[in-house]
Amino acid sequence: MLTFEEKLAIIESFPELERNDVSLRRVNFHYNDSSYDHKNVVYHLHPNGNGFVYAGKMTGFETNDKGMVNVRDFTEKELHEIIRNSILSLTSKKTEDSDEPTEEVWMNDNTVTLTVIQEEDLWNVYSEDGGLDGTFNSYKEATNYLEAEGFSRI
């Protein structure tokens, strides 16, 4: 199990998160650029090693009623990945006149992420390193492709 200090170092490596000390020496980290009302990414990280990460918009995690996953026994890699994906899941953007997002992140079972972005009249799918993976005429075509490749929305 990672120590409190090791967990803090991993979490603080994400410059987009803002630290908030709360009661009983616990620490929360907020993502203030969230596209949603939900801004808490890390909740009640405690010096005993217990803490939670928001995964309410992600698949593949067993969450509590607040959409949180207990990360007490996570490895460094697991903690880094769930925090990165939590931030990505809070970054989806939607236009005011449509239910379709203008940007959305998808992930497969191997935690590979792809981003769908509406650019002018096309929908482009980009890999984690920013490379173009595919171009589609509609949101539906792009999501059909992603689903067929084993990806789901996070």
Side-chain angles (χ1 to χ4, degrees):
M1 178 174 80
L2 297 170
T3 67
F4 176 70
E5 290 76 20
E6 290 169 328
K7 288 178 182 173
L8 273 180
I10 294 166
I11 298 163
E12 288 174 342
S13 73
F14 292 91
E16 59 268 57
L17 296 180
E18 180 181 305
R19 180 180 173 148
N20 292 297
D21 294 331
V22 293
S23 63
L24 304 173
R25 301 183 325 190
R26 295 175 297 186
V27 182
N28 291 346
F29 285 86
H30 295 170
Y31 177 53
N32 291 321
D33 292 333
S34 174
S35 299
Y36 302 91
D37 290 337
H38 190 91
K39 297 191 183 308
N40 243 353
V41 171
V42 178
Y43 180 72
H44 285 181
L45 181 66
H46 191 275
N48 71 7
N50 205 28
F52 299 88
V53 172
Y54 181 70
K57 297 191 176 301
M58 299 168 18
T59 59
F61 293 99
E62 197 170 314
T63 62
N64 65 16
D65 61 340
K66 294 181 181 180
M68 298 287 187
V69 172
N70 190 309
V71 295
R72 179 180 185 87
D73 296 322
F74 273 41
T75 65
E76 179 179 354
K77 181 181 178 187
E78 291 170 331
L79 183 59
H80 189 271
E81 285 179 2
I82 194 170
I83 292 170
R84 177 178 51 101
N85 290 324
S86 179
I87 292 168
L88 289 172
S89 77
L90 294 171
T91 310
S92 295
K93 299 177 185 119
K94 296 185 180 196
T95 59
E96 291 180 22
D97 59 345
S98 172
D99 287 337
E100 294 178 347
T102 57
E103 184 175 329
E104 191 171 67
V105 179
W106 289 60
M107 182 172 44
N108 68 9
D109 291 339
N110 298 323
T111 68
V112 172
T113 58
L114 295 176
T115 304
V116 180
I117 301 175
Q118 182 181 18
E119 296 176 316
E120 297 182 18
D121 292 335
L122 297 173
W123 292 87
N124 292 320
V125 176
Y126 292 96
S127 63
E128 292 172 316
D129 63 4
L132 183 63
D133 190 73
T135 298
F136 303 90
N137 292 317
S138 70
Y139 174 73
K140 181 147 182 72
E141 285 180 18
T143 59
N144 285 345
Y145 163 74
L146 290 165
E147 288 170 350
E149 294 296 319
F151 286 81
S152 58
R153 269 175 247 154
I154 59 171

